[in-house]
Amino acid sequence: MSTSTTPAPPGTQDQPPARAAPRRGKRAPARTGWRRALRRDWQLYSLAILPLLFFLVFRYLPMIGNVIAFRRFEPGGSIFGEEWVGLRYVQMFLSDPTFWQVFRNTLWLGGLTLLFCFPIPIVLALLLNEVRRRSLKRFVQSVSYLPHFLSIVIVAGITLQMLASDGPVNHVLGWLGHDPVRFIQEPEWFRTVFVGSEIWQTAGWGTILYLAALTTIDEDLYEAARIDGANRWRQIWHVTLPGIRPTMVTLLILNVGTFMAVGFEKVLLLYNPLTYPTADVISTYVYRSGVESNSFSYAAAIGLFEAIIGLVLITSANQLSRRTVGTSLW
């Protein structure tokens, strides 16, 4: 008994079998992935509640108050101001010669602080990394870290007492045959005093991050450099510094972001009316204008201007670092 087969249509014998159309998968895993993670690790996520509330209450909600920079504010009235005045207060401080003097002082102090206070912790960390005696290394670390744990009020008090007209520094100068120097009263000495106290207080603490970064460098890189004939200085230049470069760039971006802040508390404690020509910065000028003179709208306009400059600086530094070094915060 023979069976007959129906011949295939012409032109279809060599065609591959048709593939089944892929099914469109649902995006439920992508949508519910964070929910699963939240249910699985809710104890860890709960630890972030208090920090988020802190930033929300003390960092983001106060930003609403910047509206008084464009509204006339009167103490005892509405917290959002009485009436809209536009850019009146912005025009006031832009046409104020005192503001531009304060602005120049801020740039000077910020630039000097960044120039000296940023590289010194790196140098100190590299020197401590070369110390082989653990006892000496721990002693230097403890002595250099100690000023960080002192209150700014105590640091400013020590600085004022040491540099007073009858203080220890002037006593030493007297023994050397020099006349007493009025470090606290002379405007030209304020920048040196401020930057010096900043170095003394922050240099030791800044080395902690760099020492931690040094521990992540692979020892095989040093071994390979020694085999290639590199001495200790070349090892530092070609192995150590590139190894801590991401940490250096991150801290540099953060320091640039706070360039305009320039340590409000310490300046406020160290300066006096005699040193205003070189010591008065934007933050202290805002304090005197807002708190002491009750010109809150005027002070808010200046503070908003300072914040915008800080935002531009940190964004520019981040973009420049990403393009040149390949490391950035975001």
Side-chain angles (χ1 to χ4, degrees):
M1 185 175 180
S2 63
T3 59
S4 60
T5 59
T6 305
T12 62
Q13 291 86 349
D14 298 332
Q15 293 182 358
R19 295 181 179 177
R23 296 181 180 179
R24 291 187 176 181
K26 297 181 180 180
R27 295 185 178 181
R31 295 176 183 176
T32 60
W34 66 272
R35 296 178 182 176
R36 292 202 202 98
L38 184 61
R39 286 196 299 266
R40 184 181 65 249
D41 302 322
W42 66 269
Q43 296 94 339
L44 296 177
Y45 286 105
S46 64
L47 298 177
I49 293 177
L50 289 180
L52 291 176
L53 288 177
F54 172 82
F55 281 102
L56 177 64
V57 174
F58 296 102
R59 292 293 186 267
Y60 290 99
L61 288 181
M63 290 183 182
I64 303 175
N66 287 325
V67 71
I68 67 173
F70 311 101
R71 298 178 65 89
R72 183 173 58 86
F73 176 82
E74 295 181 358
S78 174
I79 60 174
F80 299 113
E82 302 299 330
E83 61 177 346
W84 184 266
V85 296
L87 299 177
R88 174 186 174 186
Y89 297 108
V90 177
Q91 295 172 353
M92 285 177 59
F93 76 75
L94 290 179
S95 59
D96 185 4
T98 305
F99 169 78
W100 290 111
Q101 179 184 359
V102 168
F103 185 76
R104 288 192 296 269
N105 292 339
T106 304
L107 294 180
W108 267 107
L109 280 181
L112 291 174
T113 302
L114 185 64
L115 179 63
F116 290 100
C117 294
F118 176 72
I120 286 181
I122 302 175
V123 176
L124 183 58
L126 295 177
L127 293 176
L128 288 175
N129 190 51
E130 298 299 320
V131 176
R132 299 308 174 196
R133 293 181 58 183
R134 290 188 177 181
S135 58
L136 177 61
K137 186 175 183 178
R138 291 176 180 175
F139 174 76
V140 175
Q141 286 177 321
S142 301
V143 172
S144 61
Y145 295 168
L146 181 61
H148 173 79
F149 298 99
L150 299 178
S151 170
I152 295 181
V153 178
I154 297 177
V155 172
I158 293 174
T159 303
L160 294 176
Q161 292 295 326
M162 292 290 293
L163 300 177
S165 299
D166 56 349
V169 175
N170 275 312
H171 278 299
V172 174
L173 292 177
W175 294 338
L176 298 177
H178 294 277
D179 295 330
V181 180
R182 301 173 62 194
F183 294 103
I184 307 302
Q185 290 79 22
E186 297 294 337
E188 58 269 15
W189 278 103
F190 181 82
R191 292 167 182 167
T192 303
V193 171
F194 177 83
V195 175
S197 64
E198 277 290 297
I199 294 174
W200 177 64
Q201 185 180 10
T202 62
W205 180 256
T207 59
I208 293 179
L209 297 176
Y210 295 110
L211 288 174
L214 287 172
T215 60
T216 63
I217 300 177
D218 192 354
E219 290 293 333
D220 293 338
L221 297 177
Y222 291 104
E223 184 66 26
R226 284 192 291 269
I227 293 175
D228 291 339
N231 57 21
R232 200 58 189 171
W233 288 106
R234 290 188 175 274
Q235 293 176 33
I236 293 175
W237 183 260
H238 295 287
V239 178
T240 306
L241 290 179
I244 63 175
R245 185 173 60 184
T247 304
M248 294 167 54
V249 171
T250 301
L251 294 179
L252 178 61
I253 295 174
L254 294 176
N255 289 338
V256 170
T258 58
F259 182 85
M260 301 297 292
V262 198
F264 161 72
E265 296 88 354
K266 184 176 290 185
V267 175
L268 186 66
L269 293 169
L270 291 177
Y271 82 156
N272 56 73
L274 295 176
T275 57
Y276 278 177
T278 58
D280 200 14
V281 293
I282 291 180
S283 56
T284 55
Y285 183 66
V286 168
Y287 171 77
R288 292 202 317 274
S289 300
V291 177
E292 296 182 358
S293 302
N294 292 330
S295 300
F296 294 101
S297 295
Y298 182 70
I302 299 176
L304 184 61
F305 176 75
E306 178 187 5
I308 292 174
I309 293 179
L311 178 62
V312 172
L313 287 175
I314 193 171
T315 305
S316 302
N318 188 77
Q319 293 294 332
L320 182 63
S321 174
R322 179 187 298 175
R323 294 181 180 180
T324 58
V325 184
T327 303
S328 60
L329 286 178
W330 67 86

mmCIF file of all heavy atoms in Angstrom, residues 253 256-257 309-321 330:
data_model
loop_
_atom_site.group_PDB
_atom_site.id
_atom_site.type_symbol
_atom_site.label_atom_id
_atom_site.label_comp_id
_atom_site.label_asym_id
_atom_site.label_seq_id
_atom_site.Cartn_x
_atom_site.Cartn_y
_atom_site.Cartn_z
ATOM 1 N N ILE A 253 37.998 67.703 45.150
ATOM 2 C CA ILE A 253 36.686 68.184 44.709
ATOM 3 C C ILE A 253 35.873 68.683 45.900
ATOM 4 O O ILE A 253 35.214 69.734 45.832
ATOM 5 C CB ILE A 253 35.939 67.076 43.954
ATOM 6 C CG1 ILE A 253 36.673 66.725 42.650
ATOM 7 C CG2 ILE A 253 34.506 67.483 43.642
ATOM 8 C CD1 ILE A 253 36.090 65.542 41.924
ATOM 9 N N VAL A 256 37.259 72.016 47.012
ATOM 10 C CA VAL A 256 36.863 73.087 46.091
ATOM 11 C C VAL A 256 35.413 73.479 46.331
ATOM 12 O O VAL A 256 35.052 74.653 46.252
ATOM 13 C CB VAL A 256 37.093 72.638 44.630
ATOM 14 C CG1 VAL A 256 36.467 73.622 43.655
ATOM 15 C CG2 VAL A 256 38.581 72.513 44.338
ATOM 16 N N GLY A 257 34.560 72.486 46.656
ATOM 17 C CA GLY A 257 33.158 72.790 46.917
ATOM 18 C C GLY A 257 32.958 73.681 48.126
ATOM 19 O O GLY A 257 32.012 74.471 48.186
ATOM 20 N N ILE A 309 27.904 80.047 43.778
ATOM 21 C CA ILE A 309 29.312 79.963 43.386
ATOM 22 C C ILE A 309 29.915 78.625 43.825
ATOM 23 O O ILE A 309 30.652 77.979 43.068
ATOM 24 C CB ILE A 309 30.100 81.135 43.995
ATOM 25 C CG1 ILE A 309 29.644 82.454 43.378
ATOM 26 C CG2 ILE A 309 31.604 80.954 43.777
ATOM 27 C CD1 ILE A 309 30.351 83.661 43.942
ATOM 28 N N GLY A 310 29.589 78.180 45.042
ATOM 29 C CA GLY A 310 30.079 76.885 45.499
ATOM 30 C C GLY A 310 29.581 75.738 44.642
ATOM 31 O O GLY A 310 30.331 74.804 44.338
ATOM 32 N N LEU A 311 28.317 75.800 44.218
ATOM 33 C CA LEU A 311 27.770 74.756 43.345
ATOM 34 C C LEU A 311 28.477 74.737 42.000
ATOM 35 O O LEU A 311 28.801 73.663 41.463
ATOM 36 C CB LEU A 311 26.271 74.993 43.164
ATOM 37 C CG LEU A 311 25.530 74.015 42.235
ATOM 38 C CD1 LEU A 311 25.616 72.596 42.786
ATOM 39 C CD2 LEU A 311 24.084 74.433 42.057
ATOM 40 N N VAL A 312 28.734 75.930 41.447
ATOM 41 C CA VAL A 312 29.440 75.999 40.160
ATOM 42 C C VAL A 312 30.860 75.459 40.298
ATOM 43 O O VAL A 312 31.352 74.720 39.420
ATOM 44 C CB VAL A 312 29.449 77.451 39.649
ATOM 45 C CG1 VAL A 312 30.341 77.584 38.412
ATOM 46 C CG2 VAL A 312 28.037 77.910 39.304
ATOM 47 N N LEU A 313 31.529 75.778 41.399
ATOM 48 C CA LEU A 313 32.900 75.317 41.596
ATOM 49 C C LEU A 313 32.987 73.803 41.713
ATOM 50 O O LEU A 313 33.822 73.165 41.066
ATOM 51 C CB LEU A 313 33.495 75.973 42.844
ATOM 52 C CG LEU A 313 33.870 77.450 42.740
ATOM 53 C CD1 LEU A 313 34.334 77.973 44.085
ATOM 54 C CD2 LEU A 313 34.949 77.662 41.698
ATOM 55 N N ILE A 314 32.120 73.206 42.531
ATOM 56 C CA ILE A 314 32.209 71.754 42.728
ATOM 57 C C ILE A 314 31.783 71.007 41.471
ATOM 58 O O ILE A 314 32.340 69.963 41.135
ATOM 59 C CB ILE A 314 31.369 71.325 43.950
ATOM 60 C CG1 ILE A 314 31.724 69.883 44.337
ATOM 61 C CG2 ILE A 314 29.878 71.442 43.677
ATOM 62 C CD1 ILE A 314 31.103 69.451 45.648
ATOM 63 N N THR A 315 30.805 71.543 40.728
ATOM 64 C CA THR A 315 30.400 70.899 39.476
ATOM 65 C C THR A 315 31.502 70.994 38.435
ATOM 66 O O THR A 315 31.803 70.018 37.734
ATOM 67 C CB THR A 315 29.114 71.547 38.948
ATOM 68 O OG1 THR A 315 28.105 71.488 39.959
ATOM 69 C CG2 THR A 315 28.616 70.824 37.710
ATOM 70 N N SER A 316 32.130 72.159 38.326
ATOM 71 C CA SER A 316 33.220 72.331 37.358
ATOM 72 C C SER A 316 34.409 71.448 37.712
ATOM 73 O O SER A 316 35.017 70.824 36.832
ATOM 74 C CB SER A 316 33.640 73.799 37.312
ATOM 75 O OG SER A 316 32.548 74.632 36.973
ATOM 76 N N ALA A 317 34.752 71.391 38.998
ATOM 77 C CA ALA A 317 35.872 70.549 39.419
ATOM 78 C C ALA A 317 35.579 69.080 39.141
ATOM 79 O O ALA A 317 36.479 68.321 38.734
ATOM 80 C CB ALA A 317 36.168 70.763 40.897
ATOM 81 N N ASN A 318 34.343 68.665 39.346
ATOM 82 C CA ASN A 318 33.987 67.270 39.084
ATOM 83 C C ASN A 318 34.084 66.940 37.603
ATOM 84 O O ASN A 318 34.618 65.892 37.222
ATOM 85 C CB ASN A 318 32.569 67.010 39.602
ATOM 86 C CG ASN A 318 32.193 65.543 39.538
ATOM 87 O OD1 ASN A 318 32.617 64.753 40.364
ATOM 88 N ND2 ASN A 318 31.392 65.171 38.537
ATOM 89 N N GLN A 319 33.576 67.826 36.741
ATOM 90 C CA GLN A 319 33.650 67.595 35.305
ATOM 91 C C GLN A 319 35.096 67.606 34.818
ATOM 92 O O GLN A 319 35.490 66.780 33.989
ATOM 93 C CB GLN A 319 32.827 68.661 34.571
ATOM 94 C CG GLN A 319 31.331 68.575 34.815
ATOM 95 C CD GLN A 319 30.717 67.314 34.238
ATOM 96 O OE1 GLN A 319 31.210 66.746 33.256
ATOM 97 N NE2 GLN A 319 29.633 66.856 34.849
ATOM 98 N N LEU A 320 35.894 68.560 35.312
ATOM 99 C CA LEU A 320 37.300 68.626 34.903
ATOM 100 C C LEU A 320 38.056 67.382 35.343
ATOM 101 O O LEU A 320 38.872 66.843 34.579
ATOM 102 C CB LEU A 320 37.939 69.881 35.499
ATOM 103 C CG LEU A 320 39.399 70.139 35.144
ATOM 104 C CD1 LEU A 320 39.549 70.353 33.647
ATOM 105 C CD2 LEU A 320 39.931 71.347 35.904
ATOM 106 N N SER A 321 37.780 66.900 36.539
ATOM 107 C CA SER A 321 38.435 65.690 37.009
ATOM 108 C C SER A 321 38.029 64.472 36.186
ATOM 109 O O SER A 321 38.860 63.611 35.880
ATOM 110 C CB SER A 321 38.098 65.463 38.488
ATOM 111 O OG SER A 321 38.604 64.235 38.941
ATOM 112 N N TRP A 330 30.585 61.933 40.804
ATOM 113 C CA TRP A 330 29.370 61.434 40.156
ATOM 114 C C TRP A 330 29.521 61.497 38.664
ATOM 115 O O TRP A 330 30.426 62.076 38.141
ATOM 116 C CB TRP A 330 28.142 62.227 40.608
ATOM 117 C CG TRP A 330 28.116 63.644 40.164
ATOM 118 C CD1 TRP A 330 27.651 64.157 38.989
ATOM 119 C CD2 TRP A 330 28.619 64.780 40.914
ATOM 120 N NE1 TRP A 330 27.816 65.500 38.950
ATOM 121 C CE2 TRP A 330 28.394 65.920 40.120
ATOM 122 C CE3 TRP A 330 29.207 64.929 42.157
ATOM 123 C CZ2 TRP A 330 28.761 67.207 40.521
ATOM 124 C CZ3 TRP A 330 29.557 66.205 42.554
ATOM 125 C CH2 TRP A 330 29.337 67.319 41.750
#
